[in-house]
Amino acid sequence: MLFIDQIKFLPKEVKRFIATEALLGIGMGIFGLVLNLHLLALNVSPEQIGALNSVGTLVMGAAAIPAGFFANYIGRKRIFISGITLTGIGYWLFGLGKSIGVFYLAQIIQFIGISFLITTEVQLLFSYAKTNELETVSYSLLFAIFTLFSGIGTLLGGFIPNWFPYGNTKYQSSVYISATLILVAALLRGILLPCVNNSFDKGKSKLLLLNIRIYQVFDKKILLITFYLFLAGMAFSTIVPFQNVIVKFRMGWSDEYVSYLLTVNGLILFFASMIMPWIINKFGTIKAYYYVYGMNLLFAFILAFNNISVMMFSTIFLLRSGSFTLLNNMMESQTMSVVEEEKRDFFAGVKSLLRSIGSAIASYLAGYILENKNYTYPFLITFIILLVSLLYFVVFIKPIFLEKIKNGKFSFEEEIQKDVEGM
């Protein structure tokens, strides 16, 4: 069945989920572009911004496991909506704040919210999708819509400061607009999305649930996958949280030109998200990973050189973003698919914790590097991290995927033949 045909058969809950993702994307797109610029305008240094990101990601990790437990007891949707709401409140505090102490408070609230959101989002979406095949399609479409509208938000973020240059900095009104959009998204999702009970928890005593959780801590497969995502978190946070700063100062561009490039970047991410199911279906899971890893390593290596032209940098930068998004989405969706339904909330919490620790380390390191005005080292570090990640994938993750493929549990019917042929 073609990807477009599969979209037609998505349940209405999935379609509502994806439609409201547009507001979230616009709000986060605006915020992602203007926050660092807003903080820099308030004399917050790049190193302090890196420290803020590190604290935020550590808080996100610390909140992830409690979020997974809460999702089991009071429902995924309630934690999910609470997460979006807290994110919006954190955004508002960034707009109101003038001191580093308020910014830390805003960062903590925002990242608790993001932790609640990402710890429940995929499982909630998958519970609406109902089948393995529609899980992959739903995830791809969700991320595609998010990146498309995040790109639109990024474009708006380049112009809103000029349209409404009011407040402590010319970016303050943009921060407030992004916060409002996030809160509206929370309201709409609270109204439109149904609560889905975790049926595997019904009738189980709290003692039995505790025993299950303790057993899951020692689940070898979950531990292997979560460390794999720890490396992914490092690769992500070395560049992505700072890409507007890297582009602005490496190229010497204005905010408007930065927003143009990052808007095109959002369109590339949209395309990369949409083709993920096709890539996996075309090549099989294992071959797809090898090809996508190869592209990411090549692009990161090229960007590590400082003497490339503006045109070449822009082109490779966009290709790197698209290929990394493709790899990241494959990691997120495929690792969740190999975990049993009753373990997914716990797995989401643990992976968020490990990924957050990796992100915190990388964010602090990247902030320190950028403080010294070196805009090529983040790409070199990303290259090294991805190389380690590829080796880890070959040794530890590939066998887990092959076992799942041979059991016929992945989403695509031709996986077994393609991956066996590729071994």
Side-chain angles (χ1 to χ4, degrees):
M1 187 184 296
L2 295 175
F3 180 69
I4 299 299
D5 293 330
Q6 291 171 324
I7 293 174
K8 296 177 182 177
F9 292 97
L10 290 175
K12 63 181 180 179
E13 295 86 358
V14 172
K15 293 177 180 177
R16 291 173 180 174
F17 199 114
I18 292 170
T20 51
E21 189 75 3
L23 282 174
L24 206 67
I26 294 173
M28 290 187 170
I30 295 171
F31 189 78
L33 179 71
V34 303
L35 177 62
N36 287 345
L37 303 177
H38 176 64
L39 294 176
L40 289 171
L42 290 171
N43 298 317
V44 179
S45 70
E47 187 174 5
Q48 288 176 310
I49 293 174
L52 271 171
N53 285 329
S54 295
V55 168
T57 50
L58 287 174
V59 168
M60 181 171 67
I65 293 180
F69 284 121
F70 293 152
N72 272 306
Y73 287 108
I74 65 176
R76 290 170 180 164
K77 180 193 168 183
R78 294 184 179 92
I79 299 301
F80 179 63
I81 300 300
S82 298
I84 301 174
T85 303
L86 287 172
T87 302
I89 293 171
Y91 283 17
W92 267 98
L93 277 177
F94 270 114
L96 291 170
K98 297 180 181 179
S99 66
I100 193 68
V102 176
F103 296 145
Y104 272 108
L105 176 62
Q107 189 80 327
I108 289 169
I109 293 173
Q110 177 204 168
F111 273 88
I112 290 174
I114 291 175
S115 180
F116 282 18
L117 189 158
I118 66 174
T119 304
T120 54
E121 181 178 42
V122 176
Q123 305 92 281
L124 184 62
L125 178 67
F126 281 11
S127 67
Y128 294 147
K130 296 182 173 64
T131 68
N132 285 341
E133 188 172 17
L134 291 182
E135 284 178 359
T136 301
V137 174
S138 299
Y139 183 88
S140 299
L141 189 58
L142 178 75
F143 198 87
I145 292 298
F146 175 81
T147 52
L148 174 63
F149 284 90
S150 178
I152 294 172
T154 300
L155 180 63
L156 291 172
F159 289 95
I160 292 174
N162 294 327
W163 295 339
F164 307 104
Y166 310 115
N168 298 328
T169 74
K170 69 175 185 176
Y171 307 105
Q172 188 176 31
S173 57
S174 303
V175 174
Y176 287 144
I177 290 171
S178 65
T180 302
L181 289 170
I182 298 299
L183 294 173
V184 172
L187 178 64
L188 289 177
R189 283 181 160 175
I191 295 171
L192 296 176
L193 298 180
C195 287
V196 176
N197 293 326
N198 301 325
S199 58
F200 52 86
D201 284 343
K202 288 181 178 179
K204 295 180 180 178
S205 67
K206 292 184 178 180
L207 179 60
L208 181 56
L209 283 173
L210 179 61
N211 290 335
I212 291 172
R213 300 293 176 253
I214 292 173
Y215 171 75
Q216 288 172 355
V217 170
F218 300 100
D219 188 313
K220 179 181 178 181
K221 179 171 69 177
I222 288 180
L223 291 176
L224 289 173
I225 293 174
T226 50
F227 185 76
Y228 181 54
L229 295 174
F230 165 84
L231 294 172
M234 291 192 70
F236 178 89
S237 291
T238 305
I239 295 174
V240 176
F242 301 96
Q243 59 186 6
N244 58 341
V245 175
I246 291 172
V247 171
K248 181 179 177 69
F249 292 105
R250 182 168 175 171
M251 297 292 100
W253 287 353
S254 67
D255 295 342
E256 289 83 359
Y257 281 111
V258 173
S259 72
Y260 289 148
L261 182 66
L262 295 185
T263 299
V264 175
N265 186 64
L267 296 175
I268 297 293
L269 301 190
F270 170 77
F271 177 74
S273 302
M274 291 293 286
I275 66 171
M276 185 191 75
W278 178 83
I279 293 287
I280 296 175
N281 196 26
K282 175 73 173 178
F283 300 108
T285 301
I286 306 304
K287 283 186 178 179
Y289 267 88
Y290 287 151
Y291 292 150
V292 177
Y293 262 115
M295 290 188 294
N296 274 276
L297 288 167
L298 175 63
F299 297 145
F301 184 74
I302 293 173
L303 290 171
F305 292 93
N306 197 34
N307 56 348
I308 61 176
S309 66
V310 172
M311 180 60 68
M312 186 175 183
F313 172 82
S314 301
T315 303
I316 301 300
F317 178 86
L318 294 172
L319 291 173
R320 191 215 75 88
S321 292
S323 62
F324 185 78
T325 295
L326 186 56
L327 177 62
N328 191 65
N329 287 0
M330 288 168 59
M331 288 179 175
E332 288 289 335
S333 63
Q334 299 299 298
T335 53
M336 182 63 78
S337 288
V338 300
V339 175
E340 294 81 1
E341 166 65 22
E342 64 271 16
K343 296 181 180 180
R344 285 182 175 178
D345 289 319
F346 174 80
F347 167 68
V350 175
K351 80 165 184 177
S352 294
L353 173 61
L354 267 292
R355 189 172 184 126
S356 296
I357 293 172
S359 295
I361 295 169
S363 291
Y364 187 82
L365 178 60
Y368 177 79
I369 291 170
L370 295 176
E371 177 76 12
N372 292 287
K373 304 187 186 308
N374 191 308
Y375 304 111
T376 59
Y377 279 9
F379 296 103
L380 179 60
I381 293 171
T382 300
F383 173 84
I384 295 170
I385 295 170
L386 286 173
L387 186 59
V388 173
S389 176
L390 173 59
L391 295 174
Y392 187 89
F393 170 80
V394 172
V395 176
F396 297 109
I397 304 302
K398 177 180 173 181
I400 296 173
F401 283 1
L402 288 176
E403 180 183 0
K404 197 74 172 180
I405 290 167
K406 289 176 182 177
N407 290 334
K409 297 292 181 65
F410 262 167
S411 303
F412 303 100
E413 296 177 359
E414 299 178 1
E415 285 279 10
I416 298 175
Q417 183 178 351
K418 289 175 181 175
D419 283 298
V420 170
E421 289 174 354
M423 287 191 294

